[in-house]
Amino acid sequence: MAGPGYRLFHVGGGARAWIDLGARRDAFAIVGRHSCCDLALDGDPEVALRHLLVRAEPGTDGGPPMLRLLDLHTELGFRLGAGDERERESSAVVVGPVAVRLGRHALIAFPSSSSQVAEVPAELPPLMVEPTGASPYRHKPPDVAPPAAAPRWTHVSLYGRSPSLHDLRSTGDGELSDPPSSARIALERHGGGQSLDISDAELDMGVLIGRASKCDRRFARLLDEKVSRTHLLILRDGSETAAYDLASTNGTYLNGTRQKRFHLPDVGATLAIGLGGVKLHWHPGGS
């Protein structure tokens, strides 16, 4: 590896594969059943078509890199180690080597702090798990200092399951409210259009665009078969907001160039989703 990051292995279903993730913002992997995923986990109903977004981040104060796992609103989540089958996680930030379970598949991640991958241990170290409460699970994690026993322990910060878009907009008496907007997303196709004001909380949990029922259904009438079921994630990423193409079949484009990840600037932007003429207009500040 050219610098710090993680090497991510997939084992299960008779298949083995691995990819490298550098500790930088533009490097990420999509894990799921779909053949377009960076790590494709075939033939398991406990794995969604596009299940996890996996990123590596620079360590704190020059420490070892951190691995970030984000469930893409699947309700299936992932499991840490060989724990209770019922315990499913939505998001975790990891310092150290770790193994997670998705159905009958295992993802095993080893950190590298230099141009050489660290020696693979005979056994993975025990987990030091730190629940973080009910904060929206896509918030940037607090600074995590590597524990004193870093060579012997893996530190895991767990984030609670994010609320649904319906929960975020509910008044508590069954009525839906419009929270203060932080931005506006407008979709258009063949002369028709729909705009949606997006709150800070929604950007923190991630807004999914696609044909699947877990995506925002107010855009459904504008999406055709050339848009993947889970196509695009718009997510607040630290001090910026970014659009992540989720290993879609027909891609996401800016000025005709296919993009995997695109910083959404303060001046706004227009992306083409798929190949059917669907345009996404990003307007920061709800303007």
Side-chain angles (χ1 to χ4, degrees):
M1 297 178 65
Y6 268 81
R7 180 160 287 179
L8 184 65
F9 293 87
H10 157 231
V11 180
R16 293 178 176 85
W18 60 269
I19 58 173
D20 283 342
L21 290 176
R24 59 183 192 273
R25 285 189 169 183
D26 62 345
F28 67 94
I30 304 300
V31 180
R33 276 192 293 120
H34 199 281
S35 60
C36 288
C37 289
D38 301 289
L39 281 179
L41 282 52
D42 294 334
D44 188 343
E46 286 293 300
V47 177
L49 288 175
R50 295 168 178 90
H51 197 116
L52 285 182
L53 185 150
V54 184
R55 291 189 291 161
E57 298 182 352
T60 303
D61 296 328
M66 299 185 293
L67 188 74
R68 193 171 187 192
L69 305 168
L70 300 175
D71 173 69
L72 294 171
H73 300 201
T74 68
E75 300 299 328
L76 298 169
F78 57 89
R79 292 194 298 126
L80 287 169
D84 190 330
E85 180 70 31
R86 295 168 297 179
E87 293 182 358
R88 303 298 179 96
E89 310 299 343
S90 295
S91 181
V93 176
V94 178
V95 177
V98 70
V100 299
R101 292 284 303 275
L102 276 73
R104 65 171 181 263
H105 299 266
L107 298 179
I108 307 169
F110 296 106
S112 169
S113 298
S114 66
S115 60
Q116 299 296 321
V117 175
E119 181 179 352
V120 175
E123 295 182 359
L124 291 178
L127 301 180
M128 181 186 296
V129 178
E130 179 188 15
T132 61
S135 297
Y137 78 89
R138 297 191 191 276
H139 275 162
K140 185 174 178 59
D143 289 342
V144 178
R152 301 189 300 274
W153 295 87
T154 289
H155 186 280
V156 181
S157 297
L158 291 178
Y159 289 75
R161 182 168 293 278
S162 69
S164 67
L165 291 179
H166 183 279
D167 291 338
L168 286 171
R169 293 175 178 270
S170 176
T171 62
D173 57 6
E175 298 294 327
L176 294 182
S177 64
D178 291 323
S181 63
S182 175
R184 178 174 297 162
I185 297 173
L187 258 64
E188 66 167 303
R189 173 172 170 259
H190 301 328
Q194 176 72 48
S195 64
L196 174 65
D197 286 337
I198 304 297
S199 69
D200 285 333
E202 289 170 313
L203 288 177
D204 286 334
M205 68 176 277
V207 178
L208 285 175
I209 307 294
R211 294 184 291 109
S213 59
K214 65 183 179 181
C215 301
D216 196 295
R217 302 316 299 154
R218 284 165 289 188
F219 291 135
R221 66 182 181 86
L222 298 172
L223 304 180
D224 60 14
E225 293 297 320
K226 294 183 179 180
V227 174
S228 292
R229 290 180 54 77
T230 308
H231 194 111
L232 191 71
L233 174 70
I234 296 178
L235 174 68
R236 176 164 288 154
D237 186 3
S239 60
E240 68 175 34
T241 302
Y244 291 83
D245 182 88
L246 301 176
S248 67
T249 302
N250 291 315
T252 301
Y253 301 84
L254 174 70
N255 298 326
T257 301
R258 190 163 184 168
Q259 303 285 332
K260 286 194 65 176
R261 180 189 183 277
F262 176 68
H263 162 64
L264 294 171
D266 292 339
V267 296
T270 297
L271 300 172
I273 302 176
L275 300 174
V278 178
K279 303 287 187 182
L280 181 148
H281 304 284
W282 164 257
H283 303 281
S287 59

PDB file of all heavy atoms in Angstrom, residues 237-271:
ATOM      1  N   ASP A 237     -19.825  14.898   5.387  1.00  0.00           N
ATOM      2  CA  ASP A 237     -18.545  14.227   5.627  1.00  0.00           C
ATOM      3  C   ASP A 237     -17.603  15.222   6.290  1.00  0.00           C
ATOM      4  O   ASP A 237     -16.867  15.929   5.615  1.00  0.00           O
ATOM      5  CB  ASP A 237     -17.986  13.730   4.294  1.00  0.00           C
ATOM      6  CG  ASP A 237     -16.734  12.890   4.452  1.00  0.00           C
ATOM      7  OD1 ASP A 237     -16.330  12.638   5.599  1.00  0.00           O
ATOM      8  OD2 ASP A 237     -16.164  12.495   3.424  1.00  0.00           O
ATOM      9  N   GLY A 238     -17.669  15.295   7.619  1.00  0.00           N
ATOM     10  CA  GLY A 238     -16.868  16.295   8.320  1.00  0.00           C
ATOM     11  C   GLY A 238     -17.374  17.690   8.009  1.00  0.00           C
ATOM     12  O   GLY A 238     -18.539  18.017   8.230  1.00  0.00           O
ATOM     13  N   SER A 239     -16.517  18.511   7.453  1.00  0.00           N
ATOM     14  CA  SER A 239     -16.874  19.900   7.167  1.00  0.00           C
ATOM     15  C   SER A 239     -17.494  20.082   5.784  1.00  0.00           C
ATOM     16  O   SER A 239     -17.857  21.197   5.413  1.00  0.00           O
ATOM     17  CB  SER A 239     -15.630  20.786   7.277  1.00  0.00           C
ATOM     18  OG  SER A 239     -14.634  20.376   6.346  1.00  0.00           O
ATOM     19  N   GLU A 240     -17.615  19.005   5.003  1.00  0.00           N
ATOM     20  CA  GLU A 240     -18.172  19.128   3.662  1.00  0.00           C
ATOM     21  C   GLU A 240     -19.293  18.130   3.460  1.00  0.00           C
ATOM     22  O   GLU A 240     -19.528  17.241   4.280  1.00  0.00           O
ATOM     23  CB  GLU A 240     -17.084  18.901   2.604  1.00  0.00           C
ATOM     24  CG  GLU A 240     -16.562  17.483   2.532  1.00  0.00           C
ATOM     25  CD  GLU A 240     -15.576  17.278   1.392  1.00  0.00           C
ATOM     26  OE1 GLU A 240     -14.830  18.214   1.079  1.00  0.00           O
ATOM     27  OE2 GLU A 240     -15.574  16.178   0.821  1.00  0.00           O
ATOM     28  N   THR A 241     -20.016  18.307   2.357  1.00  0.00           N
ATOM     29  CA  THR A 241     -21.041  17.350   1.953  1.00  0.00           C
ATOM     30  C   THR A 241     -20.599  16.723   0.638  1.00  0.00           C
ATOM     31  O   THR A 241     -20.105  17.422  -0.258  1.00  0.00           O
ATOM     32  CB  THR A 241     -22.401  18.043   1.790  1.00  0.00           C
ATOM     33  OG1 THR A 241     -22.760  18.671   3.028  1.00  0.00           O
ATOM     34  CG2 THR A 241     -23.471  17.038   1.413  1.00  0.00           C
ATOM     35  N   ALA A 242     -20.756  15.415   0.526  1.00  0.00           N
ATOM     36  CA  ALA A 242     -20.278  14.701  -0.649  1.00  0.00           C
ATOM     37  C   ALA A 242     -21.359  13.776  -1.178  1.00  0.00           C
ATOM     38  O   ALA A 242     -22.236  13.313  -0.442  1.00  0.00           O
ATOM     39  CB  ALA A 242     -19.013  13.898  -0.318  1.00  0.00           C
ATOM     40  N   ALA A 243     -21.293  13.518  -2.481  1.00  0.00           N
ATOM     41  CA  ALA A 243     -22.156  12.541  -3.134  1.00  0.00           C
ATOM     42  C   ALA A 243     -21.320  11.300  -3.447  1.00  0.00           C
ATOM     43  O   ALA A 243     -20.258  11.405  -4.063  1.00  0.00           O
ATOM     44  CB  ALA A 243     -22.746  13.121  -4.418  1.00  0.00           C
ATOM     45  N   TYR A 244     -21.791  10.134  -3.003  1.00  0.00           N
ATOM     46  CA  TYR A 244     -21.108   8.857  -3.226  1.00  0.00           C
ATOM     47  C   TYR A 244     -21.925   8.020  -4.201  1.00  0.00           C
ATOM     48  O   TYR A 244     -23.092   7.703  -3.931  1.00  0.00           O
ATOM     49  CB  TYR A 244     -20.960   8.072  -1.924  1.00  0.00           C
ATOM     50  CG  TYR A 244     -20.004   8.663  -0.918  1.00  0.00           C
ATOM     51  CD1 TYR A 244     -20.408   9.673  -0.050  1.00  0.00           C
ATOM     52  CD2 TYR A 244     -18.704   8.193  -0.822  1.00  0.00           C
ATOM     53  CE1 TYR A 244     -19.536  10.210   0.883  1.00  0.00           C
ATOM     54  CE2 TYR A 244     -17.823   8.717   0.113  1.00  0.00           C
ATOM     55  CZ  TYR A 244     -18.243   9.724   0.955  1.00  0.00           C
ATOM     56  OH  TYR A 244     -17.370  10.238   1.878  1.00  0.00           O
ATOM     57  N   ASP A 245     -21.329   7.672  -5.326  1.00  0.00           N
ATOM     58  CA  ASP A 245     -21.964   6.694  -6.210  1.00  0.00           C
ATOM     59  C   ASP A 245     -21.795   5.321  -5.573  1.00  0.00           C
ATOM     60  O   ASP A 245     -20.682   4.895  -5.256  1.00  0.00           O
ATOM     61  CB  ASP A 245     -21.323   6.719  -7.598  1.00  0.00           C
ATOM     62  CG  ASP A 245     -21.998   5.751  -8.548  1.00  0.00           C
ATOM     63  OD1 ASP A 245     -22.971   6.134  -9.192  1.00  0.00           O
ATOM     64  OD2 ASP A 245     -21.547   4.580  -8.604  1.00  0.00           O
ATOM     65  N   LEU A 246     -22.905   4.597  -5.401  1.00  0.00           N
ATOM     66  CA  LEU A 246     -22.897   3.350  -4.641  1.00  0.00           C
ATOM     67  C   LEU A 246     -22.746   2.142  -5.567  1.00  0.00           C
ATOM     68  O   LEU A 246     -23.563   1.232  -5.581  1.00  0.00           O
ATOM     69  CB  LEU A 246     -24.173   3.250  -3.806  1.00  0.00           C
ATOM     70  CG  LEU A 246     -24.374   4.406  -2.815  1.00  0.00           C
ATOM     71  CD1 LEU A 246     -25.710   4.290  -2.108  1.00  0.00           C
ATOM     72  CD2 LEU A 246     -23.234   4.485  -1.815  1.00  0.00           C
ATOM     73  N   ALA A 247     -21.661   2.145  -6.350  1.00  0.00           N
ATOM     74  CA  ALA A 247     -21.398   1.055  -7.291  1.00  0.00           C
ATOM     75  C   ALA A 247     -22.599   0.851  -8.212  1.00  0.00           C
ATOM     76  O   ALA A 247     -23.008  -0.274  -8.482  1.00  0.00           O
ATOM     77  CB  ALA A 247     -21.040  -0.238  -6.554  1.00  0.00           C
ATOM     78  N   SER A 248     -23.164   1.965  -8.692  1.00  0.00           N
ATOM     79  CA  SER A 248     -24.336   1.887  -9.559  1.00  0.00           C
ATOM     80  C   SER A 248     -23.972   1.271 -10.903  1.00  0.00           C
ATOM     81  O   SER A 248     -22.819   1.313 -11.341  1.00  0.00           O
ATOM     82  CB  SER A 248     -24.930   3.283  -9.770  1.00  0.00           C
ATOM     83  OG  SER A 248     -24.045   4.094 -10.521  1.00  0.00           O
ATOM     84  N   THR A 249     -24.972   0.711 -11.569  1.00  0.00           N
ATOM     85  CA  THR A 249     -24.744   0.065 -12.865  1.00  0.00           C
ATOM     86  C   THR A 249     -24.413   1.073 -13.947  1.00  0.00           C
ATOM     87  O   THR A 249     -23.478   0.880 -14.737  1.00  0.00           O
ATOM     88  CB  THR A 249     -25.986  -0.744 -13.273  1.00  0.00           C
ATOM     89  OG1 THR A 249     -26.273  -1.707 -12.261  1.00  0.00           O
ATOM     90  CG2 THR A 249     -25.752  -1.449 -14.608  1.00  0.00           C
ATOM     91  N   ASN A 250     -25.148   2.192 -13.989  1.00  0.00           N
ATOM     92  CA  ASN A 250     -24.990   3.154 -15.078  1.00  0.00           C
ATOM     93  C   ASN A 250     -24.293   4.446 -14.678  1.00  0.00           C
ATOM     94  O   ASN A 250     -24.166   5.347 -15.496  1.00  0.00           O
ATOM     95  CB  ASN A 250     -26.360   3.472 -15.684  1.00  0.00           C
ATOM     96  CG  ASN A 250     -26.931   2.282 -16.430  1.00  0.00           C
ATOM     97  OD1 ASN A 250     -26.219   1.633 -17.191  1.00  0.00           O
ATOM     98  ND2 ASN A 250     -28.194   1.966 -16.185  1.00  0.00           N
ATOM     99  N   GLY A 251     -23.828   4.540 -13.441  1.00  0.00           N
ATOM    100  CA  GLY A 251     -22.947   5.617 -13.053  1.00  0.00           C
ATOM    101  C   GLY A 251     -23.614   6.931 -12.693  1.00  0.00           C
ATOM    102  O   GLY A 251     -24.810   7.151 -12.891  1.00  0.00           O
ATOM    103  N   THR A 252     -22.782   7.834 -12.153  1.00  0.00           N
ATOM    104  CA  THR A 252     -23.148   9.206 -11.822  1.00  0.00           C
ATOM    105  C   THR A 252     -22.131  10.117 -12.506  1.00  0.00           C
ATOM    106  O   THR A 252     -20.928   9.839 -12.469  1.00  0.00           O
ATOM    107  CB  THR A 252     -23.127   9.423 -10.302  1.00  0.00           C
ATOM    108  OG1 THR A 252     -24.049   8.509  -9.683  1.00  0.00           O
ATOM    109  CG2 THR A 252     -23.517  10.850  -9.940  1.00  0.00           C
ATOM    110  N   TYR A 253     -22.601  11.209 -13.122  1.00  0.00           N
ATOM    111  CA  TYR A 253     -21.742  11.997 -14.003  1.00  0.00           C
ATOM    112  C   TYR A 253     -21.777  13.469 -13.644  1.00  0.00           C
ATOM    113  O   TYR A 253     -22.825  14.027 -13.291  1.00  0.00           O
ATOM    114  CB  TYR A 253     -22.181  11.822 -15.461  1.00  0.00           C
ATOM    115  CG  TYR A 253     -22.130  10.391 -15.933  1.00  0.00           C
ATOM    116  CD1 TYR A 253     -23.191   9.522 -15.677  1.00  0.00           C
ATOM    117  CD2 TYR A 253     -21.008   9.896 -16.611  1.00  0.00           C
ATOM    118  CE1 TYR A 253     -23.136   8.197 -16.093  1.00  0.00           C
ATOM    119  CE2 TYR A 253     -20.954   8.576 -17.024  1.00  0.00           C
ATOM    120  CZ  TYR A 253     -22.012   7.733 -16.757  1.00  0.00           C
ATOM    121  OH  TYR A 253     -21.957   6.416 -17.156  1.00  0.00           O
ATOM    122  N   LEU A 254     -20.613  14.099 -13.763  1.00  0.00           N
ATOM    123  CA  LEU A 254     -20.472  15.542 -13.647  1.00  0.00           C
ATOM    124  C   LEU A 254     -19.817  16.035 -14.925  1.00  0.00           C
ATOM    125  O   LEU A 254     -18.706  15.619 -15.267  1.00  0.00           O
ATOM    126  CB  LEU A 254     -19.613  15.912 -12.438  1.00  0.00           C
ATOM    127  CG  LEU A 254     -19.279  17.392 -12.287  1.00  0.00           C
ATOM    128  CD1 LEU A 254     -20.529  18.183 -11.913  1.00  0.00           C
ATOM    129  CD2 LEU A 254     -18.174  17.603 -11.256  1.00  0.00           C
ATOM    130  N   ASN A 255     -20.538  16.888 -15.665  1.00  0.00           N
ATOM    131  CA  ASN A 255     -20.025  17.416 -16.942  1.00  0.00           C
ATOM    132  C   ASN A 255     -19.566  16.286 -17.861  1.00  0.00           C
ATOM    133  O   ASN A 255     -18.535  16.387 -18.533  1.00  0.00           O
ATOM    134  CB  ASN A 255     -18.874  18.391 -16.694  1.00  0.00           C
ATOM    135  CG  ASN A 255     -19.301  19.605 -15.893  1.00  0.00           C
ATOM    136  OD1 ASN A 255     -20.427  20.078 -16.018  1.00  0.00           O
ATOM    137  ND2 ASN A 255     -18.407  20.114 -15.059  1.00  0.00           N
ATOM    138  N   GLY A 256     -20.310  15.188 -17.868  1.00  0.00           N
ATOM    139  CA  GLY A 256     -20.020  14.070 -18.762  1.00  0.00           C
ATOM    140  C   GLY A 256     -18.970  13.105 -18.269  1.00  0.00           C
ATOM    141  O   GLY A 256     -18.698  12.106 -18.940  1.00  0.00           O
ATOM    142  N   THR A 257     -18.356  13.367 -17.112  1.00  0.00           N
ATOM    143  CA  THR A 257     -17.318  12.495 -16.575  1.00  0.00           C
ATOM    144  C   THR A 257     -17.874  11.692 -15.415  1.00  0.00           C
ATOM    145  O   THR A 257     -18.465  12.254 -14.479  1.00  0.00           O
ATOM    146  CB  THR A 257     -16.111  13.320 -16.076  1.00  0.00           C
ATOM    147  OG1 THR A 257     -15.590  14.071 -17.170  1.00  0.00           O
ATOM    148  CG2 THR A 257     -15.019  12.410 -15.533  1.00  0.00           C
ATOM    149  N   ARG A 258     -17.693  10.383 -15.473  1.00  0.00           N
ATOM    150  CA  ARG A 258     -18.222   9.511 -14.424  1.00  0.00           C
ATOM    151  C   ARG A 258     -17.471   9.752 -13.113  1.00  0.00           C
ATOM    152  O   ARG A 258     -16.255   9.850 -13.095  1.00  0.00           O
ATOM    153  CB  ARG A 258     -18.109   8.047 -14.842  1.00  0.00           C
ATOM    154  CG  ARG A 258     -18.848   7.080 -13.918  1.00  0.00           C
ATOM    155  CD  ARG A 258     -19.046   5.734 -14.577  1.00  0.00           C
ATOM    156  NE  ARG A 258     -19.822   4.836 -13.739  1.00  0.00           N
ATOM    157  CZ  ARG A 258     -20.340   3.683 -14.153  1.00  0.00           C
ATOM    158  NH1 ARG A 258     -20.146   3.287 -15.415  1.00  0.00           N
ATOM    159  NH2 ARG A 258     -21.045   2.921 -13.331  1.00  0.00           N
ATOM    160  N   GLN A 259     -18.249   9.853 -12.017  1.00  0.00           N
ATOM    161  CA  GLN A 259     -17.692  10.154 -10.705  1.00  0.00           C
ATOM    162  C   GLN A 259     -18.009   9.025  -9.723  1.00  0.00           C
ATOM    163  O   GLN A 259     -19.114   8.481  -9.729  1.00  0.00           O
ATOM    164  CB  GLN A 259     -18.293  11.456 -10.160  1.00  0.00           C
ATOM    165  CG  GLN A 259     -18.115  12.659 -11.042  1.00  0.00           C
ATOM    166  CD  GLN A 259     -16.698  13.193 -11.012  1.00  0.00           C
ATOM    167  OE1 GLN A 259     -15.979  13.051 -10.026  1.00  0.00           O
ATOM    168  NE2 GLN A 259     -16.285  13.820 -12.102  1.00  0.00           N
ATOM    169  N   LYS A 260     -17.048   8.712  -8.829  1.00  0.00           N
ATOM    170  CA  LYS A 260     -17.318   7.801  -7.711  1.00  0.00           C
ATOM    171  C   LYS A 260     -17.698   8.602  -6.463  1.00  0.00           C
ATOM    172  O   LYS A 260     -18.605   8.227  -5.737  1.00  0.00           O
ATOM    173  CB  LYS A 260     -16.103   6.930  -7.406  1.00  0.00           C
ATOM    174  CG  LYS A 260     -15.856   5.820  -8.412  1.00  0.00           C
ATOM    175  CD  LYS A 260     -14.852   4.810  -7.869  1.00  0.00           C
ATOM    176  CE  LYS A 260     -15.412   4.079  -6.663  1.00  0.00           C
ATOM    177  NZ  LYS A 260     -14.489   3.022  -6.179  1.00  0.00           N
ATOM    178  N   ARG A 261     -16.978   9.672  -6.214  1.00  0.00           N
ATOM    179  CA  ARG A 261     -17.269  10.553  -5.085  1.00  0.00           C
ATOM    180  C   ARG A 261     -17.069  11.986  -5.548  1.00  0.00           C
ATOM    181  O   ARG A 261     -16.090  12.288  -6.225  1.00  0.00           O
ATOM    182  CB  ARG A 261     -16.349  10.258  -3.895  1.00  0.00           C
ATOM    183  CG  ARG A 261     -16.585  11.143  -2.679  1.00  0.00           C
ATOM    184  CD  ARG A 261     -15.502  10.938  -1.634  1.00  0.00           C
ATOM    185  NE  ARG A 261     -15.735  11.711  -0.430  1.00  0.00           N
ATOM    186  CZ  ARG A 261     -15.415  13.003  -0.262  1.00  0.00           C
ATOM    187  NH1 ARG A 261     -14.823  13.669  -1.266  1.00  0.00           N
ATOM    188  NH2 ARG A 261     -15.665  13.622   0.862  1.00  0.00           N
ATOM    189  N   PHE A 262     -18.009  12.865  -5.163  1.00  0.00           N
ATOM    190  CA  PHE A 262     -17.924  14.240  -5.625  1.00  0.00           C
ATOM    191  C   PHE A 262     -18.269  15.176  -4.475  1.00  0.00           C
ATOM    192  O   PHE A 262     -19.322  15.052  -3.836  1.00  0.00           O
ATOM    193  CB  PHE A 262     -18.885  14.476  -6.793  1.00  0.00           C
ATOM    194  CG  PHE A 262     -18.925  15.901  -7.273  1.00  0.00           C
ATOM    195  CD1 PHE A 262     -17.825  16.464  -7.907  1.00  0.00           C
ATOM    196  CD2 PHE A 262     -20.055  16.678  -7.075  1.00  0.00           C
ATOM    197  CE1 PHE A 262     -17.850  17.782  -8.340  1.00  0.00           C
ATOM    198  CE2 PHE A 262     -20.096  17.992  -7.509  1.00  0.00           C
ATOM    199  CZ  PHE A 262     -18.980  18.539  -8.145  1.00  0.00           C
ATOM    200  N   HIS A 263     -17.355  16.091  -4.166  1.00  0.00           N
ATOM    201  CA  HIS A 263     -17.614  17.137  -3.174  1.00  0.00           C
ATOM    202  C   HIS A 263     -18.673  18.081  -3.722  1.00  0.00           C
ATOM    203  O   HIS A 263     -18.543  18.610  -4.829  1.00  0.00           O
ATOM    204  CB  HIS A 263     -16.317  17.893  -2.873  1.00  0.00           C
ATOM    205  CG  HIS A 263     -16.529  19.214  -2.223  1.00  0.00           C
ATOM    206  ND1 HIS A 263     -17.101  19.354  -0.975  1.00  0.00           N
ATOM    207  CD2 HIS A 263     -16.255  20.475  -2.653  1.00  0.00           C
ATOM    208  CE1 HIS A 263     -17.177  20.634  -0.671  1.00  0.00           C
ATOM    209  NE2 HIS A 263     -16.669  21.344  -1.661  1.00  0.00           N
ATOM    210  N   LEU A 264     -19.748  18.289  -2.965  1.00  0.00           N
ATOM    211  CA  LEU A 264     -20.822  19.192  -3.376  1.00  0.00           C
ATOM    212  C   LEU A 264     -20.483  20.601  -2.906  1.00  0.00           C
ATOM    213  O   LEU A 264     -20.535  20.891  -1.709  1.00  0.00           O
ATOM    214  CB  LEU A 264     -22.154  18.714  -2.793  1.00  0.00           C
ATOM    215  CG  LEU A 264     -22.631  17.363  -3.341  1.00  0.00           C
ATOM    216  CD1 LEU A 264     -23.832  16.861  -2.545  1.00  0.00           C
ATOM    217  CD2 LEU A 264     -22.955  17.448  -4.822  1.00  0.00           C
ATOM    218  N   PRO A 265     -20.139  21.497  -3.818  1.00  0.00           N
ATOM    219  CA  PRO A 265     -19.612  22.818  -3.427  1.00  0.00           C
ATOM    220  C   PRO A 265     -20.706  23.764  -2.966  1.00  0.00           C
ATOM    221  O   PRO A 265     -21.905  23.559  -3.222  1.00  0.00           O
ATOM    222  CB  PRO A 265     -18.954  23.311  -4.720  1.00  0.00           C
ATOM    223  CG  PRO A 265     -19.742  22.651  -5.806  1.00  0.00           C
ATOM    224  CD  PRO A 265     -20.133  21.303  -5.272  1.00  0.00           C
ATOM    225  N   ASP A 266     -20.280  24.834  -2.304  1.00  0.00           N
ATOM    226  CA  ASP A 266     -21.211  25.837  -1.791  1.00  0.00           C
ATOM    227  C   ASP A 266     -21.926  26.597  -2.908  1.00  0.00           C
ATOM    228  O   ASP A 266     -22.954  27.228  -2.656  1.00  0.00           O
ATOM    229  CB  ASP A 266     -20.468  26.831  -0.884  1.00  0.00           C
ATOM    230  CG  ASP A 266     -19.986  26.192   0.405  1.00  0.00           C
ATOM    231  OD1 ASP A 266     -20.532  25.145   0.781  1.00  0.00           O
ATOM    232  OD2 ASP A 266     -19.061  26.741   1.033  1.00  0.00           O
ATOM    233  N   VAL A 267     -21.381  26.563  -4.103  1.00  0.00           N
ATOM    234  CA  VAL A 267     -22.013  27.281  -5.220  1.00  0.00           C
ATOM    235  C   VAL A 267     -23.062  26.423  -5.924  1.00  0.00           C
ATOM    236  O   VAL A 267     -23.695  26.870  -6.875  1.00  0.00           O
ATOM    237  CB  VAL A 267     -20.946  27.739  -6.238  1.00  0.00           C
ATOM    238  CG1 VAL A 267     -20.005  28.740  -5.599  1.00  0.00           C
ATOM    239  CG2 VAL A 267     -20.166  26.543  -6.792  1.00  0.00           C
ATOM    240  N   GLY A 268     -23.260  25.175  -5.455  1.00  0.00           N
ATOM    241  CA  GLY A 268     -24.228  24.285  -6.087  1.00  0.00           C
ATOM    242  C   GLY A 268     -23.589  23.436  -7.167  1.00  0.00           C
ATOM    243  O   GLY A 268     -22.445  23.656  -7.581  1.00  0.00           O
ATOM    244  N   ALA A 269     -24.332  22.422  -7.626  1.00  0.00           N
ATOM    245  CA  ALA A 269     -23.813  21.514  -8.650  1.00  0.00           C
ATOM    246  C   ALA A 269     -24.967  20.750  -9.270  1.00  0.00           C
ATOM    247  O   ALA A 269     -26.061  20.653  -8.696  1.00  0.00           O
ATOM    248  CB  ALA A 269     -22.806  20.538  -8.032  1.00  0.00           C
ATOM    249  N   THR A 270     -24.716  20.219 -10.469  1.00  0.00           N
ATOM    250  CA  THR A 270     -25.696  19.383 -11.169  1.00  0.00           C
ATOM    251  C   THR A 270     -25.026  18.074 -11.564  1.00  0.00           C
ATOM    252  O   THR A 270     -23.971  18.076 -12.196  1.00  0.00           O
ATOM    253  CB  THR A 270     -26.238  20.082 -12.419  1.00  0.00           C
ATOM    254  OG1 THR A 270     -26.941  21.275 -12.033  1.00  0.00           O
ATOM    255  CG2 THR A 270     -27.194  19.171 -13.171  1.00  0.00           C
ATOM    256  N   LEU A 271     -25.633  16.956 -11.168  1.00  0.00           N
ATOM    257  CA  LEU A 271     -25.139  15.626 -11.493  1.00  0.00           C
ATOM    258  C   LEU A 271     -26.165  14.907 -12.355  1.00  0.00           C
ATOM    259  O   LEU A 271     -27.378  15.089 -12.194  1.00  0.00           O
ATOM    260  CB  LEU A 271     -24.891  14.810 -10.218  1.00  0.00           C
ATOM    261  CG  LEU A 271     -23.874  15.368  -9.213  1.00  0.00           C
ATOM    262  CD1 LEU A 271     -23.897  14.534  -7.938  1.00  0.00           C
ATOM    263  CD2 LEU A 271     -22.479  15.391  -9.814  1.00  0.00           C
TER     264      LEU A 271
END
